[in-house]
Amino acid sequence: MNRRAGFDLVVIGAGVVGSAAALAAARDGQRVALVEAHEPPAWHADAPDLRVYAFAPDNAALLADLGVWPSVLAARAQPYRRMRVWDAAGGGELAFDADALGRDSLGHIVEHGLLVDRLWAACGREPGLQRFTGRLDTLEQDEDTVTAVLQDGQRLRARLLLGADGAASRVRGLADLPSERHDYGQRGLVAYVGTAFPHEDTAWQRFLPTGPLAFLPCADGRCSIVWTLPDDEATRLLAVDDTTFLRELTRAFDARLGELTSVSERVAFPLRRQLARDYVAGRVVLAGDAAHVVHPLAGQGVNLGLRDIAALRLAWRQAGERGSDFATPHRLARWARGRRSENAIAAHSFEAINRAFSNDAMWPTLLRGQVLGLAGKLPPLTRLLWKRAAGLTRTRFIFFLAETESQRERK
């Protein structure tokens, strides 16, 4: 560590991505400061969090390496062994099965609040890691260090500062790292629902003209839904009574799990694509939602953020093996190029899929189901698609539609 700096790393934001980054750095022998505006609320088993993730195997392995994953599994996490994807217009089905892929499961459905709770607690037990509660006021940089000045006057100096403080990142604004934003005019409506038939440890997704509808299996036997809807339709469905909502949702899901029997509180959040043009400004870097926000249809948001951290960790370990400083301009730029490329491809791919399937134009409607059915009949393609989503391959599978979308945005 450069003795001019009190820390090796300051992390702003103690969500899943920020806490994992702070814990990983501390486990690797760095002195770390983790800053959050308020201490995260404790997770309670009797109050399920509406925000859930389809957690990929590579990120489960990362949390296992950090000593956190066993406590998550012991609390509540639902493995899913199958995925079923189909289009409301008909045609074939794209299916993934853990047995066919030689896996115990394809991933886990985990609550956001549970992950944050376990990571925050682990950070509190980690030597060399200090937790601070307070809001970031300003940033100061010189050639060798960066200083986070909190609103209460505390000054935290380090060799590197990581902004993992969400889509409305203050770090991004203070570091003058602009982002490109596109609002979809859609909202994601989330809730828990009870079903007449068991969820079969299966993650289900049906494409509708209004947007995709996902049913994710949960440990208590219910399903967590993520229903992409136009803004006005989401507003309407938030306002209807439970009986009406369940009837419309059962119809939208084609009653795959029978009649829906119960529904929790319902909330909806706006959907958008937001990509920072760069992830680095001096000794300040961005990760997670501070750097990229993507459409939730593939459940990859938090997975992409944790892959930012896994790549960052690999880079600082390699630099450490050489006895050199990771936080140099060319090393940070190399990490940023790799992550920006991967995240931009993912963001535009999800957007292109959403556009292709969320409409009722004749030719896309006729072709969509056939494309899904064809993909489902090609085991090598199915395996490649799953490995890509699971973070188990570096192979670049770039959708033609994603390239088209990227070109359109550049114009």
Side-chain angles (χ1 to χ4, degrees):
M1 185 184 71
N2 184 332
R3 293 300 174 183
R4 288 187 58 198
F7 297 95
D8 292 300
L9 177 67
V10 170
V11 179
I12 307 296
V16 175
V17 173
S19 293
L23 189 58
R27 287 287 176 92
D28 289 347
Q30 298 187 46
R31 289 195 60 206
V32 182
L34 175 62
V35 181
E36 180 58 55
H38 302 286
E39 183 171 336
W43 176 82
H44 297 288
D46 57 353
D49 191 344
L50 287 175
R51 186 177 180 184
V52 303
Y53 301 124
F55 214 68
D58 62 325
N59 289 321
L62 172 64
L63 294 198
D65 185 55
L66 299 178
V68 174
W69 190 241
S71 68
V72 172
L73 292 177
R76 185 161 63 209
Q78 170 66 40
Y80 59 97
R81 297 182 45 77
R82 288 166 289 276
M83 294 179 64
R84 299 288 184 266
V85 183
W86 75 104
D87 188 72
E93 180 181 276
L94 178 60
F96 301 88
D97 189 283
D99 290 338
L101 294 166
R103 305 284 303 185
D104 292 333
S105 69
L106 301 180
H108 289 77
I109 306 302
V110 190
E111 296 158 55
H112 167 83
L114 172 58
L115 288 170
V116 171
D117 180 85
R118 296 303 190 260
L119 282 162
W120 178 259
C123 287
R125 297 189 297 265
E126 188 66 25
L129 194 162
Q130 291 181 248
R131 300 180 306 180
F132 296 84
T133 53
R135 294 185 180 277
L136 178 65
D137 187 27
T138 61
L139 293 176
E140 300 173 359
Q141 290 202 63
D142 59 31
E143 185 176 344
D144 299 315
T145 63
V146 55
T147 300
V149 183
L150 307 188
Q151 288 182 350
D152 62 6
Q154 293 186 88
R155 299 174 63 85
L156 308 176
R157 180 181 293 177
R159 292 189 299 143
L160 185 68
L161 183 141
L162 173 66
D165 51 341
S169 171
R170 180 159 178 78
V171 172
R172 189 180 64 237
L174 290 172
D176 194 24
L177 288 166
S179 61
E180 299 174 352
R181 173 171 168 162
H182 173 71
D183 291 308
Y184 294 126
Q186 296 174 316
R187 297 167 76 187
L189 191 156
V190 298
Y192 289 99
V193 297
T195 59
F197 305 145
H199 55 52
E200 303 176 11
D201 300 336
T202 299
W204 313 80
Q205 182 155 278
R206 188 186 196 204
F207 284 106
L208 300 159
T210 51
L213 169 61
F215 272 55
L216 306 175
C218 296
D220 63 3
R222 295 186 295 176
C223 287
S224 168
I225 66 160
V226 184
W227 194 355
T228 298
L229 294 158
D231 287 332
D232 56 352
E233 183 66 359
T235 300
R236 184 186 71 82
L237 285 169
L238 287 174
V240 300
D241 60 66
D242 288 355
T243 300
T244 301
F245 179 81
L246 288 171
R247 183 174 61 249
E248 294 199 30
L249 179 59
T250 298
R251 184 168 58 249
F253 191 56
D254 200 25
R256 276 289 180 107
L257 297 176
E259 293 295 320
L260 302 179
T261 58
S262 64
V263 61
S264 70
E265 172 193 9
R266 291 164 261 160
V267 301
F269 53 92
L271 303 183
R272 65 180 180 272
R273 166 176 44 81
Q274 182 173 291
L275 300 174
R277 295 177 187 172
D278 201 349
Y279 292 4
V280 179
R283 289 180 176 264
V284 174
V285 299
L286 302 177
D289 283 358
H292 44 83
V293 176
V294 302
H295 197 286
L297 69 85
Q300 290 296 300
V302 75
N303 290 307
L304 292 173
L306 287 172
R307 287 167 194 154
D308 295 341
I309 303 310
L312 194 65
R313 191 184 196 196
L314 177 62
W316 75 48
R317 282 181 164 183
Q318 290 174 340
E321 290 170 358
R322 300 185 183 99
S324 56
D325 180 10
F326 166 65
T328 58
H330 75 277
R331 288 198 174 97
L332 293 177
R334 185 187 311 152
W335 166 81
R337 280 195 302 271
R339 293 312 304 155
R340 282 183 66 248
S341 174
E342 181 144 346
N343 293 329
I345 288 169
H348 288 295
S349 295
F350 305 152
E351 180 173 326
I353 293 169
N354 182 50
R355 287 193 181 194
F357 282 85
S358 299
N359 67 75
D360 54 6
M362 183 178 67
W363 286 112
T365 299
L366 291 173
L367 293 173
R368 289 188 310 235
Q370 301 304 319
V371 170
L372 287 175
L374 177 61
K377 294 176 182 178
L378 298 173
L381 178 57
T382 301
R383 184 178 295 271
L384 174 62
L385 286 169
W386 178 75
K387 283 189 173 183
R388 182 63 179 158
L392 300 179
T393 178
R394 301 293 296 178
T395 304
R396 303 280 183 186
F397 184 82
I398 305 175
F399 292 92
F400 169 77
L401 286 174
E403 293 183 344
T404 303
E405 191 66 33
S406 297
Q407 292 166 3
R408 181 176 6 219
E409 290 298 323
R410 284 195 295 271
K411 292 178 182 178

